[in-house]
Amino acid sequence: MELFSPLHGLSSVDLSFSTSLSPLPFRSYVRSRRPTTRRRALAIASTPVPDAPPNSPQRLLRELAERKKVAFPKKKVPPRRFILKPPLDDAKLTQRFLNSPQLSLKSLPLLSSCLPSARLNNADRTWIDEYLLEAKQALGYPLDSSEQLDDGNPAKQFDTLLYLAFQHPAPDCQRANAKHVRNGHSRLSFLGQYVLELAFAEYFLQRYPRESPAPMRERVFALIGKRNLPKWIKAASLHNLVFPYDDMDKMIRKDKESPAKSVFWALFGAIYLCFGMPEVYRVLFEAFGMDPEDESCQPKLRRQLEDVDYPPQDALFAHPRLFRACVPPGMHRFRGNIWDFDSRPKIMGALGYPLFMNDRIPEVAEARNIELGLGLQDLVMAERLLMKHLDAPGRWIQEKHRRTLMNKFCGRYLRDRHLHHFIIYGESVQDKFEHNRRLRNPATTAVQQAIHGLAYTIYGKPDVRRLMFQVFDFEQIQPKAV
């Protein structure tokens, strides 16, 4: 076998030198060039040979490298804003949290978690002195400073939260882009969207107790859809605060929808934290002038079924309240069937029902348990994430919230408690759902939300927290990292 060498043929080369060179320099020249010749040989051997045989190692390595470039391209470097900064030492981190207003209210953890992470500076105080009175007057609040109230009153923080609500992110506003202002506004906006959903869900369920969910969703979208929010901002005379340097009537739609939506959500997040849900309804229907009976808010015409429901005399919710509105027509006629005797006691035992309630009227507690045998999740999870992640911006919490309440995780929560066996499917989809878990995900999500809705209508929001974080333990099964 003939060996191939890159130095082959050098012996036949005719070397000619000048006659002025002496033999001694010639020997020193050859000795000094010997290591360089080796390095040149290695360099020549490392380069791919164009005329190499098909089974040559150099050719195979070159083809493998080209295939790796196509199959495994280099990953893009993440932007600088996503690169983590080195963590603070324990002393600086402790001092930072102790000086943060988010730890100033121990009795109001949710309100405290939505305060800015740092104290307001001179630029923030300047905006408050110039524009806050205009915002209060438009919303129908007293013009006195809320800081004069007692420490235990949640409304004491209203001026600070109202300032954060109007600081929507703008590329040319240095004040609104400060970290404590930007994160505070995004967290309020994250909470406010679920406050509005719960407020209108309760209102329309009581206003139209026999209407299906689809028309009610159309009513809600017609009122607080992103296309209509600039109209409500201008109706309340708040457009000069949201767009101080632009004429809102001359702006294109996509440029004014996002700031209007962000401010609208954050505003109701602040009102909910300081005054509660009744004040949310007052601002919606008085300050903004929303009319659910307006012609533009009516849903599409659908075939309506006749209401033939006759509730028993011992039912608590005979009046058209939220509790009674959530019971479908004719549900009392299905008492005493096989599922009622076989499955309902097991489900109530797994969920810890019935609960002991200290009602002032004994008949109320008895009727509450009767309605429990018949038959929000988002807001409670939003409050939990805000209190748990104090320093996280609203967009991060929004993504965390979405991944925690995904369809596949709602089904896993039910399976961990062995409650998925009691779900009743229709005969047309029974075979498909038994062999495909992904097809069951929407059904398990609907059952999960219905359980929490039942807990909210019967016992209130504390029972929803109990179900989510004690019975089902939503935080035990961690989704993918955000």
Side-chain angles (χ1 to χ4, degrees):
M1 180 178 179
E2 184 180 357
L3 297 177
F4 175 79
S5 175
L7 299 179
H8 180 70
L10 291 179
S11 58
S12 61
V13 178
D14 186 11
L15 298 177
S16 61
F17 301 94
S18 177
T19 55
S20 61
L21 295 177
S22 60
L24 184 59
F26 176 74
R27 296 194 191 99
S28 62
Y29 173 77
V30 174
R31 291 177 183 176
S32 62
R33 294 295 296 174
R34 188 173 300 170
T36 308
T37 306
R38 291 180 180 175
R39 287 197 298 269
R40 179 187 293 179
L42 292 175
I44 295 174
S46 61
T47 57
V49 181
D51 298 333
N55 296 331
S56 174
Q58 289 86 359
R59 184 167 183 170
L60 295 177
L61 290 175
R62 181 179 60 185
E63 293 179 357
L64 181 61
E66 292 178 354
R67 291 182 181 180
K68 285 185 177 180
K69 290 181 181 180
V70 178
F72 305 100
K74 293 184 178 180
K75 296 182 179 180
K76 297 182 179 180
V77 179
R80 291 186 60 86
R81 64 178 182 272
F82 294 124
I83 299 178
L84 298 178
K85 298 180 180 179
L88 299 175
D89 56 353
D90 295 341
K92 292 183 178 180
L93 188 61
T94 303
Q95 192 65 26
R96 174 185 173 184
F97 277 101
L98 290 178
N99 295 334
S100 174
Q102 292 180 327
L103 298 180
S104 59
L105 303 176
K106 296 182 179 179
S107 60
L108 302 170
L110 179 60
L111 174 60
S112 181
S113 66
C114 292
L115 292 175
S117 58
R119 301 187 183 278
L120 301 182
N121 52 31
N122 294 332
D124 304 327
R125 295 295 178 183
T126 302
W127 193 97
I128 292 176
D129 296 339
E130 293 183 1
Y131 302 106
L132 195 64
L133 294 180
E134 181 181 352
K136 282 188 170 182
Q137 185 177 6
L139 296 174
Y141 290 105
L143 302 182
D144 300 335
S145 176
S146 64
E147 296 180 357
Q148 301 176 0
L149 300 176
D150 299 335
D151 294 338
N153 193 344
K156 184 176 183 178
Q157 310 297 331
F158 183 63
D159 286 358
T160 302
L161 295 180
L162 189 60
Y163 162 72
L164 292 178
F166 283 96
Q167 308 309 310
H168 63 90
D172 54 348
C173 185
Q174 185 177 2
R175 182 195 68 256
N177 289 329
K179 183 179 179 180
H180 66 286
V181 177
R182 184 180 68 251
N183 289 356
H185 174 83
S186 62
R187 292 167 69 89
L188 279 178
S189 180
F190 166 72
L191 177 65
Q193 60 177 322
Y194 298 109
V195 170
L196 289 171
E197 288 182 5
L198 178 61
F200 280 107
E202 290 189 9
Y203 176 80
F204 284 120
L205 281 171
Q206 299 177 64
R207 187 71 178 83
Y208 306 99
R210 293 297 173 261
E211 197 170 66
S212 60
M216 286 189 285
R217 289 194 185 99
E218 293 179 6
R219 297 178 188 272
V220 173
F221 181 77
L223 285 174
I224 57 173
K226 66 177 182 179
R227 292 193 175 188
N228 300 320
L229 293 184
K231 177 185 68 174
W232 300 122
I233 291 291
K234 189 173 183 179
S237 301
L238 298 175
H239 55 283
N240 292 329
L241 300 178
V242 182
F243 307 102
Y245 307 110
D246 300 313
D247 187 0
M248 194 179 73
D249 296 332
K250 297 181 180 180
M251 298 174 62
I252 60 177
R253 181 172 59 86
K254 66 177 183 179
D255 290 342
K256 60 184 179 182
E257 282 182 357
S258 180
K261 179 183 70 173
S262 181
V263 171
F264 192 84
W265 287 356
L267 179 62
F268 283 96
I271 294 174
Y272 171 76
L273 290 172
C274 295
F275 302 105
M277 193 62 74
E279 186 66 15
V280 171
Y281 288 113
R282 185 198 70 82
V283 176
L284 282 172
F285 300 133
E286 292 185 6
F288 288 95
M290 292 188 179
D291 184 12
E293 302 297 332
D294 188 73
E295 187 66 26
S296 61
C297 302
Q298 301 308 311
K300 300 178 182 178
L301 294 178
R302 292 176 173 85
R303 187 170 66 94
Q304 298 291 336
L305 299 178
E306 183 182 359
D307 187 2
V308 294
D309 187 22
Y310 302 98
Q313 297 179 359
D314 57 353
L316 170 65
F317 313 128
H319 302 286
R321 301 174 59 187
L322 176 63
F323 315 95
R324 182 73 191 115
C326 294
V327 180
M331 192 64 192
H332 295 274
R333 295 176 296 175
F334 291 94
R335 288 182 174 177
N337 57 9
I338 298 178
W339 190 92
D340 195 12
F341 285 103
D342 186 21
S343 302
R344 185 169 64 88
K346 299 178 182 178
I347 296 176
M348 295 182 65
L351 300 179
Y353 288 134
L355 300 180
F356 176 75
M357 301 292 293
N358 292 324
D359 294 309
R360 290 177 294 180
I361 304 176
E363 291 79 6
V364 172
E366 182 180 358
R368 190 189 304 273
N369 293 332
I370 292 174
E371 292 296 328
L372 179 64
L374 296 180
L376 176 75
Q377 184 169 291
D378 292 336
L379 179 61
V380 175
M381 195 68 211
E383 294 178 356
R384 179 81 169 196
L385 292 176
L386 285 171
M387 291 185 290
K388 186 175 182 180
H389 305 281
L390 295 178
D391 204 24
R395 293 183 62 184
W396 186 92
I397 298 180
Q398 177 73 38
E399 182 66 16
K400 183 78 173 179
H401 179 276
R402 185 189 68 84
R403 297 187 183 186
T404 306
L405 299 181
M406 292 176 66
N407 288 346
K408 61 180 181 181
F409 291 117
C410 289
R412 189 179 300 179
Y413 303 144
L414 282 177
R415 290 194 297 272
D416 286 349
R417 301 298 300 177
H418 303 286
L419 297 177
H420 59 289
H421 303 293
F422 306 107
I423 301 177
I424 301 177
Y425 300 105
E427 296 180 358
S428 59
V429 296
Q430 181 76 27
D431 296 336
K432 296 180 181 179
F433 283 11
E434 286 182 356
H435 299 89
N436 194 330
R437 180 180 58 81
R438 291 188 177 182
L439 294 178
R440 296 196 303 266
N441 284 339
T444 54
T445 302
V447 172
Q448 184 74 254
Q449 293 176 348
I451 290 175
H452 290 86
L454 174 67
Y456 179 77
T457 55
I458 303 298
Y459 294 107
K461 194 187 297 182
D463 191 46
V464 180
R465 296 193 187 98
R466 182 188 69 86
L467 287 179
M468 292 182 67
F469 306 115
Q470 295 181 15
V471 177
F472 293 107
D473 201 357
F474 272 39
E475 295 177 328
Q476 182 67 28
I477 302 175
Q478 296 295 335
K480 297 179 181 179
V482 180

